[in-house]
Amino acid sequence: DSARNGFSFKGIKDYLECYRSGKLTPSQVAKNIIAMLEDCDKSTPPLRAIVQWDREQIMLMAEASTTRYRNKCTLSCLDGIPVCLKEEFKVVPYHHRVGTVYLGTQPETEDATVAKKLREAGAIIIGVSNMHELGTGTTGCNPNRYHKIPRNPYNPNHFTGGSSSGSAAAVAAGLCPVAIGTDGGGSVRIPASFCGVVGLKGTFGRISGHGSLPLSYSTVSVGPICTSVADAAIVYSILAEPDLLYPYGLKQPKATLSDMCAPDLKGLKLGVDWTFFKACDAEVLSACEKAVKHLQSLGASVVEVSLPEMEEARVAHVICILSEMRDFLQPDFNQHFHEMNLETRASLALASQFTALDYIKANRQRTRSMRFLQEIFSTVNCILTPAVPCTAPRIYESDLLTGSSDMSFTVRSMRFMQLGNFTGIPGLVVPIGYSIAGLPISLQVMAKWWDEAVLLRIGLKLEQFRDQTKKPSIYYDILA
C-alpha cells in the first residue's frame, strides 16, 4: 500500500486501523453512516444510492461488532466494515424489489448466500442499493417511485451506469468501502468504471448467486465493487467458494491470491487486440494506451492477439441474456407490464422476437468463442481492453420522468464487457484517470476461467499508474 498525496478513498484498511487503535468503534461509524444516509436522501438532487435501510438493523450489527473488538475476538477482516448489496439479492428484512414497484411486497425472511457470508464475516450491512429495473440496462436510470435515478458522485448530472448503479454510487460517495453487484452484461464493471472505483466480475459460478433473482442463468456473475484492488481481493477471498445451493460453482478450483503481491509483472504476457481496443473515444484510448505502457514498464510483455468473431459473439450474448430474461420474466411481462418502466417493456418486447433457433445458434457461438479463448489463453495470461468506450452520459430532464432508452448507448457501453459474460471468464476494471470534464476512465483486465489471482496482481500495479485520485463532488468521510 503506497501512501498518496491528496485525496484517497477510505478503504477496509482505514476502518480496521480506526477500530484496532480505538480511535472509533463500529457503533460510532454506524451512527455516522445513518446521519449521512439521512443527509444524502435530503440533498438536491438526492444521491439515491441506498434505497432501503433500517437504523435499528445497522446499529444491531455495529454494536455486536463493537463488542467483538472490545473482547478481541473479531470474525474476519470485514468485521465492522460497512457494506451494501444490490437490491437483486435477498437481504433480511428488506423488500426484494429488484428495481421494480411490484416485486418484494413482503419483507425478506431469508438471506441470499452472499448476504449470509457477509454477516458471518461480521460486516455491517447498511442497506440495499439502487439498480436498473430488473437489470435491463446500463445507465442505471430507474424513474419509478421506489428508486428514482442514482447520481454519479463525480458529477450528479451524469448517470452512474448500470445495472448495479447504487452499489457503485455508494462506494464512490464514501457511504461504504464495499458493495456487491451482479454482472450479466457489464452490470458490475460499467457502473464501477463510470463512478471511478474498482469492479470485479468473478468467473461464472465462482461466487454464489443463490438468493438473487435468476434473471439470466448463463451470463450473470456476482462480484464486489470496492475502493481499491486490495479490498476487492479481500472480499473475493471471503465470498469465492462452492455453495451447495448454487450448482454452477460446485466444481470450482480453490480460490487463491497467489503471486498477487509480486514486486513486478515479469513473465506475464498481456494480450491486446489493438483493432478492438481502439474502438473507443479518443480521451479513453489515450489514457488506456498509457496504462498499458505502464504495465510494460513493470516487466510485462504486450502480445498482439486477434479476438475472432467479436461481432457474432456480441449478437449471440444479446440473444442469450435477453432470451433467458424474457423466459424468466414471462409471468411479470403478462401480469405487470403496465407497472414496468417504458425501457424495460421495450427490452422485453424486443426479446420476445428471438426464436428457439436464434438461442441454439447463439449457444453454438458460445462454444466457438470459448474455444478461441482457450487458444488465446495458452499464449497470454490476460486480455486488456478499455473498460467502457466512453465516460458516463448526461442525465436529461425527461429521463427523470419517463426514463431513458438509448439502444445505441446500451450496445456501445457493453462493447468490452460482453465477452466476459458470454464465455464466463473473469474481468476486473480499475480506474486509471479522468476525462477533461473530470469523469472517470478505467481499463479492463480479463483472464482465463478461475484465474482471478492474475487479475488482482495486474490490478494492483495498474492502480499505481493513476498519479492522483480526484475527490468525487459528492463524498462522505465516514471516519472523519
Side-chain angles (χ1 to χ4, degrees):
D1 186 64
S2 54
R4 289 273 171 96
N5 299 330
F7 173 80
S8 63
F9 285 106
K10 296 287 190 287
I12 292 173
K13 182 168 162 274
D14 302 290
Y15 281 84
L16 294 181
E17 276 172 6
C18 282
Y19 297 157
R20 287 168 183 168
S21 67
K23 189 177 141 196
L24 281 172
T25 65
S27 298
Q28 288 166 307
V29 162
K31 283 178 184 146
N32 290 352
I33 290 170
I34 290 163
M36 308 300 183
L37 287 170
E38 284 169 344
D39 180 73
C40 64
D41 275 349
K42 291 190 195 108
S43 62
T44 315
L47 179 64
R48 297 306 293 157
I50 306 292
V51 286
Q52 297 181 58
W53 58 276
D54 182 294
R55 177 193 307 267
E56 205 179 312
Q57 289 289 323
I58 296 171
M59 288 312 300
L60 271 174
M61 285 180 265
E63 280 157 12
S65 178
T66 300
T67 304
R68 289 192 294 271
Y69 274 97
R70 196 182 302 123
N71 298 333
K72 296 194 166 38
C73 61
T74 51
L75 298 169
S76 79
C77 48
L78 288 186
D79 208 325
I81 304 298
V83 304
C84 69
L85 292 96
K86 185 180 187 176
E87 202 182 53
E88 199 169 317
F89 292 99
K90 293 181 177 181
V91 183
V92 178
Y94 302 109
H95 295 267
H96 188 215
R97 291 193 179 116
V98 201
T100 71
V101 294
Y102 65 84
L103 286 172
T105 51
Q106 298 299 315
E108 262 324 299
T109 54
E110 202 179 327
D111 276 330
T113 297
V114 282
K116 191 162 154 279
K117 280 176 126 27
L118 289 167
R119 279 192 216 274
E120 287 166 357
I124 302 170
I125 297 174
I126 66 166
V128 293
S129 50
N130 207 341
M131 63 177 284
H132 206 105
E133 186 178 59
L134 295 167
T136 55
T138 59
T139 56
C141 182
N142 188 353
N144 74 41
R145 67 179 182 272
Y146 287 139
H147 297 88
K148 299 283 180 270
I149 295 175
R151 303 295 179 140
N152 191 319
Y154 273 93
N155 185 331
N157 298 320
H158 287 250
F159 283 119
T160 54
S163 63
S164 309
S165 48
S167 294
V171 171
L175 292 172
C176 51
V178 173
I180 307 297
T182 59
D183 191 316
S187 286
V188 159
R189 293 161 294 156
I190 293 169
S193 305
F194 282 167
C195 294
V197 289
V198 171
L200 171 66
K201 177 197 97 68
T203 302
F204 178 76
R206 176 63 105 176
I207 297 174
S208 173
H210 174 74
S212 67
L213 200 69
L215 292 162
S216 162
Y217 40 82
S218 77
T219 65
V220 176
S221 295
V222 177
I225 294 175
C226 298
T227 53
S228 70
V229 174
D231 286 5
I234 290 169
V235 179
Y236 164 75
S237 66
I238 285 173
L239 297 181
E241 65 175 0
D243 171 13
L244 291 172
L245 299 169
Y246 189 67
Y248 299 125
L250 287 178
K251 292 274 195 280
Q252 61 178 279
K254 192 165 171 49
T256 69
L257 300 176
S258 58
D259 293 338
M260 179 178 152
C261 299
D264 54 39
L265 298 176
K266 285 189 179 121
L268 286 186
K269 292 179 177 158
L270 318 176
V272 180
D273 178 332
W274 285 110
T275 310
F276 186 56
F277 190 101
K278 287 176 178 174
C280 59
D281 290 355
E283 282 187 294
V284 173
L285 179 61
S286 166
C288 289
E289 284 179 330
K290 287 178 191 146
V292 173
K293 287 203 173 86
H294 165 74
L295 296 176
Q296 264 181 300
S297 74
L298 293 165
S301 54
V302 172
V303 178
E304 270 202 60
V305 295
S306 164
L307 294 170
E309 300 179 8
M310 285 309 288
E311 183 56 21
E312 289 82 347
R314 184 186 72 74
V315 173
H317 166 263
V318 170
I319 292 169
C320 285
I321 189 170
L322 281 180
S323 298
E324 289 168 8
M325 289 175 95
R326 181 69 178 79
D327 167 54
F328 180 73
L329 294 168
Q330 175 75 15
D332 303 51
F333 192 70
N334 292 340
Q335 289 156 31
H336 299 283
F337 182 79
H338 293 291
E339 294 168 88
M340 291 175 173
N341 291 337
L342 295 170
E343 182 195 11
T344 310
R345 296 184 211 176
S347 300
L348 293 176
L350 167 71
S352 62
Q353 299 307 301
F354 297 132
T355 65
L357 290 179
D358 294 328
Y359 186 71
I360 290 164
K361 274 187 185 154
N363 275 294
R364 285 189 181 137
Q365 179 61 45
R366 193 195 311 253
T367 308
R368 286 177 67 85
S369 295
M370 289 171 82
R371 185 66 44 82
F372 294 140
L373 283 177
Q374 265 177 328
E375 285 169 23
I376 289 168
F377 286 126
S378 69
T379 59
V380 297
N381 299 90
C382 70
I383 295 167
L384 302 179
T385 69
V388 193
C390 55
T391 53
R394 266 196 78 83
I395 297 171
Y396 293 98
E397 280 301 305
S398 62
D399 300 337
L400 304 175
L401 301 168
T402 53
S404 158
S405 181
D406 181 346
M407 274 299 174
S408 65
F409 169 76
T410 306
V411 167
R412 193 156 182 252
S413 63
M414 295 198 301
R415 174 189 297 270
F416 300 118
M417 299 285 144
Q418 292 170 285
L419 187 62
N421 296 111
F422 188 48
T423 62
I425 58 171
L428 176 75
V429 296
V430 180
I432 53 166
Y434 305 89
S435 68
I436 291 159
L439 291 164
I441 293 171
S442 296
L443 187 80
Q444 174 175 236
V445 194
M446 293 181 283
K448 69 177 183 288
W449 300 271
W450 316 115
D451 197 7
E452 286 86 350
V454 79
L455 298 183
L456 296 163
R457 176 180 172 187
I458 294 165
L460 278 180
K461 297 293 181 270
L462 204 47
E463 272 179 322
Q464 297 166 1
F465 167 73
R466 198 171 71 241
D467 54 351
Q468 58 157 161
T469 303
K470 286 191 176 161
K471 186 177 178 178
S473 58
I474 302 172
Y475 187 74
Y476 297 96
D477 189 347
I478 303 289
L479 299 179

